[in-house]
Amino acid sequence: MMSHPLGSSPAVRRTPLDAEERVRAEAGFVPLVAQQLAENGRFRVSADSAELVEVFQGVARKVGELLGRPVVSYSNGRYMVITFAQDSPLG
């Protein structure tokens, strides 16, 4: 058993998703995100790693295709927000 200084926790080690896990993760989140966008106009999720941001960017693309509407995603390093794109001011 490893000991840690009082008040500290061991660092979390994440195992990267393999290609199949990434495909399954995106497929699993698409219906949830689509439902949240349809009901609330946005979806927010904790995405504090580059890998999670990439997964949810893929989800955003697929949701846009599914709903037939432009969808955008943005991240601040802690959270990712997926929402409908604003109409073009030129349109």
Side-chain angles (χ1 to χ4, degrees):
M1 179 173 181
M2 290 182 64
S3 63
H4 300 279
L6 188 60
S8 70
S9 301
V12 175
R13 290 187 184 166
R14 295 183 180 159
T15 303
L17 298 174
D18 65 31
E20 182 181 329
E21 290 169 329
R22 183 178 293 251
V23 168
R24 285 195 329 250
E26 286 184 13
F29 278 110
V30 167
L32 173 67
V33 174
Q35 179 183 0
Q36 288 295 306
L37 285 182
E39 292 176 2
N40 304 315
R42 68 183 280 232
F43 176 82
R44 183 178 125 165
V45 64
S46 177
D48 59 354
S49 71
E51 182 179 40
L52 286 174
V53 170
E54 289 174 13
V55 167
F56 281 101
Q57 285 175 335
V59 169
R61 281 189 296 275
K62 289 179 175 140
V63 168
E65 293 169 4
L66 176 70
L67 298 178
R69 289 184 62 185
V71 171
V72 295
S73 61
Y74 56 92
S75 173
N76 68 4
R78 291 185 62 196
Y79 298 101
M80 179 151 205
V81 175
I82 300 171
T83 188
F84 291 115
Q86 297 297 313
D87 291 335
S88 168
L90 302 175

